């Protein structure tokens, strides 16, 4: 008998028929003797409708009241899911985030979980019930309803799994698991049986949008082993867990292409202390997320100057241009060049730590394909390059063939 | 400065525009320096949609989960109402029933309020905020979400007014107040300035469907003075309060016609002890509500027998027939006659206690109109008669003219 926490996203509970499917799946685990805690999101479309309603009242609704409003989405799903289990003759009880003991800080619309007191969940499980918990929500110590922001339901599931010391946490989604590359680009991409938290984090932040980084980070911190799998079939998914020795036998776990970045180059930036800090402070204050930063060696004569390149999310480009225009006088660079036609191509794998020559092999492979490298950035388990967007898919396939097969 | 509890029903908060109207009205009271607690229902249609959704999952959903589901309706409205007040620049905070300290018993879908701990409401009022409370819902001592059943939001408002020792409780609805008769039947019916709890109770149960009896009973028990008024205009409504001396100056407060009753007569029921108990026990077990009961004197020769007539809600007639058919053998009456074409006509007024001859005047008036009386039932402040439905409206007008003008 295992204790399993399962999380189903908005599409998996998008209508009564799908909610019944979820119930049937839960019933299958129960039939095997497992204890099941189910975390559900709002039915797809519901949250958007609530936001629309709020905007008809006022353009920028207060965040506390947005949380009060949005929390009804998951509350609706938990009740319907419990009913669907009752219809199958299974004992089930729904709990709001507050009732499940999920305590957060008071930062409405993006609250952080502070602690979980799963006493009520334990009691209900001990009574033989399936416990359905509203994802994405909690309450403050003072009793205000909060929501956890993007990826919040995944976080609820993983945090509950940690608090309950669950044997397994399953994140049900509309993909079969984590792949070695995007199957739409690399037809022979393979589903991974397992992956380490760090690899998953690198892949998540690299455009393999299976889960938000924050949930993976939480799982890593508390050692929660979880499985990403599909709610549409019975295929086993990908297990995400702490790195093990034999994971290093595989040098590269995956190849990821992020088409959603833009590159900005500031030409001839005065090469003196404090300049980079000045620039990135201004960009950060505009809430623009900077990913890669590369500073080339100073060149030319006269005042020492350098070219500074960085990548940002494409939708932030306009906002970034305004910030940069404002900096031109104070920083004194020559010009700013933006390039939207880039792709960030990365290889990820804990195995590269113990295997030398990975970077060389990557660059060689790209050279053979005639792909020029604009920027390079590396971490212990990742190498990313910025290349011409037009060659992105071809380059992804080439790297996949070279490293994975 | 007064502390006012206002309740707005589903129609009054039926869409964003109407919610903004509610906010404007609240703002008006605040401008006068009043403290305001607002109780709202689910937006009209929302509860029905949720019930439909539940029925797509299973035909008879569990009551605990129905409460979990339906409670989202009011939670949505409180958030939107708070936002609408924010849009007008007023500080406002929404509270679910649970957050407002409304504790109920555990009878899901028709829970009774056990007590209210309005600490949180007081704190927020002291901070200068408008407090928006979800009507119709509460939570048990153990933390389960409950709903109060029909008329639940009125009850929330009146119970909160009692707990907060509010100066006034206003029930906003789509009528201007309580009238001396239905204005569609009696064109010169007058709106009452005030009415006693008992009169209101008799009128409520007599088909003047302004409020559920249970809220009026609660108000009576705790001495909560409340006003029934329209959310569509600024007209003062009807004040419902404890009987005062000068109320007796008015003999008859109102005339009510209930067209929704049916009469059943059991002919030649054996006149022996326990027979009536046997009959009404069976009918009660079928959850059929019996209103008037009249037993005529035994007649005929042989075994003593009597005719037993009673009235029930018209929609229950089919169910009642089945019960009665089942009783025929055991009770041994001759036949059962049902009559759907009846009207129950009543006059109500605390003044009739101290004025003799009211019944005589009523019967005389009806006689003059050629209206035959089928059944008569009286209480201290009410006389009801069952008459031919076809003459119901004419008789209502005649009684109104005779007693009220």
């Amino acid at each position: 008998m295992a204790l399993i926490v399962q999380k189903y996203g908005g599409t998996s509970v998008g209508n009564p028929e799908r909610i019944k499917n979820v119930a049937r799946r839960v019933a299958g685990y129960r039939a095997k003797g497992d204890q099941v805690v189910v975390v559900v999101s709002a039915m797809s479309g519901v949250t958007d409708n609530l936001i629309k309603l709020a905007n008809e009242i006022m353009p920028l609704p207060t965040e506390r009241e947005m949380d009060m409003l949005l929390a009804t989405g998951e509350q609706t799903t938990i009740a319907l899911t419990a009913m669907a289990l009752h219809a199958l003759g299974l004992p089930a009880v729904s709990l709001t985030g507050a009732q499940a003991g999920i305590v957060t800080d008071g930062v409405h619309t993006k609250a952080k979980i502070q602690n979980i007191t799963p006493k009520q969940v334990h009691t209900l499980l001990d009574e033989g019930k399936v416990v359905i918990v509203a994802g994405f929500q909690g309450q403050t110590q003072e009793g205000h309803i909060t929501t956890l922001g993007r990826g919040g339901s995944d976080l609820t599931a993983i945090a509950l799994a940690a608090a309950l010391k669950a044997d397994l946490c399953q994140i049900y989604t509309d993909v079969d698991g984590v792949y070695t590359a995007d199957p739409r680009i690399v037809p022979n991409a393979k589903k991974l049986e397992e992956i380490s938290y760090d690899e998953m984090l690198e892949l998540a932040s690299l455009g393999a949008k299976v889960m938000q980084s924050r949930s993976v980070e939480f799982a890593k911190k508390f050692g929660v082993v979880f499985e990403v799998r599909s709610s549409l079939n019975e295929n086993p998914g990908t297990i995400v867990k702490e790195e093990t020795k034999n994971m290093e036998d595989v040098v590269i776990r995956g190849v990821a292409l992020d088409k959603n970045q833009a590159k900005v180059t500031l030409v001839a930036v005065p090469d003196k202390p404090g300049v980079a800090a000045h620039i990135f402070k201004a960009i950060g204050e505009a809430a623009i997320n900077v990913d890669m930063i590369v500073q080339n060696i100073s060149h030319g004569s006269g005042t020492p100057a350098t070219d500074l390149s960085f990548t940002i999310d494409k939708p932030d480009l306009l906002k970034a241009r305004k910030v940069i225009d404002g900096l031109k006088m104070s920083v004194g660079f020559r010009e700013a060049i933006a390039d939207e036609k880039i792709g960030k191509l990365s290889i990820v794998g804990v195995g590269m730590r113990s295997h030398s020559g990975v970077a060389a092999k990557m660059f060689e492979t790209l050279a053979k394909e005639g792909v020029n490298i604009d920027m390079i950035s590396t971490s212990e388990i990742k190498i990313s390059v910025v290349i011409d967007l037009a060659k992105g898919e071809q380059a992804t396939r080439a790297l996949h063939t070279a490293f994975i097969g």
Side-chain angles (χ1 to χ4, degrees), chain A:
Chain A
M1 191 188 76
L3 169 53
I4 305 177
V5 176
Q6 301 186 330
K7 179 260 171 177
Y8 296 90
T11 329
S12 304
V13 293
N15 57 47
E17 212 38 64
R18 288 193 182 170
I19 291 174
K20 289 183 196 172
N21 280 338
V22 166
R24 277 188 283 269
R25 186 178 293 268
V26 173
Y29 280 89
R30 285 277 298 198
K32 285 189 276 178
D34 294 327
Q35 289 186 314
V36 189
V37 174
V38 181
V39 175
V40 288
S41 303
M43 296 165 78
S44 53
V46 166
T47 303
D48 287 345
N49 280 341
L50 290 171
I51 291 171
K52 208 178 125 210
L53 208 50
N55 288 333
E56 284 178 50
I57 300 278
M58 72 183 301
L60 283 171
T62 349
E63 289 177 336
R64 181 192 183 280
E65 300 304 333
M66 270 314 276
D67 280 356
M68 180 64 93
L69 182 67
L70 295 185
T72 64
E74 286 76 25
Q75 190 171 326
T76 302
T77 321
I78 54 171
L80 295 175
T81 307
M83 290 173 191
L85 282 158
H86 296 162
L88 298 178
L90 282 182
V93 176
S94 69
L95 298 176
T96 62
Q99 290 174 334
I102 295 169
V103 177
T104 74
D105 62 20
V107 184
H108 285 288
T109 76
K110 36 186 180 286
K112 284 197 177 64
I113 294 179
Q114 283 185 330
N115 62 70
I116 297 187
T117 317
K119 192 165 158 277
Q120 177 75 340
V121 179
H122 272 307
T123 306
L124 293 167
L125 286 173
D126 289 348
E127 288 171 7
K129 291 183 176 120
V130 176
V131 182
I132 321 286
V133 178
F136 182 67
Q137 57 177 248
Q139 77 175 355
T140 66
Q141 209 75 53
E142 296 75 35
H144 298 288
I145 293 173
T146 51
T147 66
L148 308 177
R150 291 189 64 185
S153 290
D154 289 342
L155 193 61
T156 301
I158 286 172
L160 263 178
L164 294 167
K165 297 180 178 48
D167 299 293
L168 183 60
C169 177
Q170 298 178 320
I171 307 290
Y172 285 92
T173 173
D174 47 5
V175 295
D176 265 0
V178 183
Y179 277 76
T180 52
D182 184 339
R184 285 167 302 182
I185 298 175
V186 183
N188 60 336
K190 286 176 288 200
K191 185 172 67 189
L192 293 164
E193 273 179 42
E194 55 181 34
I195 188 172
S196 73
Y197 297 122
D198 287 336
E199 289 169 326
M200 182 75 176
L201 278 168
E202 291 289 7
L203 286 172
S205 67
L206 293 176
K209 296 176 192 90
V210 176
M211 280 175 80
Q212 295 273 317
S213 299
R214 127 193 231 219
S215 301
V216 183
E217 276 160 10
F218 195 101
K220 182 185 175 189
K221 189 169 168 189
F222 292 95
V224 176
V225 175
F226 66 94
E227 181 185 13
V228 177
R229 55 185 290 171
S230 171
S231 66
L232 308 170
N233 57 49
E234 296 297 324
N235 301 340
T238 301
I239 301 281
V240 186
K241 60 179 196 179
E242 200 46 79
E243 190 181 325
T244 56
K245 261 282 160 240
N246 71 349
M247 275 188 177
E248 295 193 9
D249 296 346
V250 180
V251 180
I252 298 303
R253 191 74 57 187
V255 181
L257 174 65
D258 185 351
K259 302 176 180 182
N260 198 34
Q261 299 240 326
K263 185 180 73 168
V264 177
T265 303
L266 306 185
V267 179
V269 180
D271 195 1
K272 57 186 182 188
V275 168
H278 182 67
I279 292 169
F280 290 110
K281 187 164 172 263
I283 290 173
E285 278 167 1
I288 295 165
N289 219 15
V290 173
D291 183 14
M292 289 168 75
I293 301 175
V294 171
Q295 184 173 319
N296 300 353
I297 316 158
S298 293
H299 59 93
S301 57
T303 323
T306 180
D307 289 353
L308 184 64
S309 292
F310 54 89
T311 62
I312 59 175
D313 287 343
K314 226 174 259 183
D316 283 341
L317 190 53
L318 201 72
K319 203 161 54 163
R321 273 191 174 285
K322 281 194 192 143
V323 175
I324 289 161
D325 288 347
L327 289 173
K328 194 163 184 184
M329 286 301 288
S330 58
V331 173
F333 55 86
R334 194 190 309 146
E335 61 171 332
I337 304 168
D339 186 356
E340 289 190 81
K341 297 204 168 134
I342 61 156
K344 189 174 78 164
L345 182 59
S346 311
I347 55 175
V348 173
V350 295
M352 72 170 71
R353 279 202 210 104
S354 48
H355 287 75
S356 57
V358 174
K361 184 172 172 186
M362 181 186 192
F363 302 155
E364 194 179 24
T365 307
L366 293 175
K368 266 189 214 155
E369 292 287 320
V371 176
N372 197 40
I373 298 173
D374 269 8
M375 293 169 77
I376 301 172
S377 148
T378 62
S379 80
E380 234 192 321
I381 65 164
K382 176 203 75 172
I383 306 172
S384 295
V385 296
V386 168
I387 59 172
D388 180 7
L389 182 60
K391 294 198 170 164
E393 303 205 348
Q394 171 201 345
T396 305
R397 281 187 291 269
L399 289 183
H400 195 271
T401 304
F403 284 103
I404 296 165

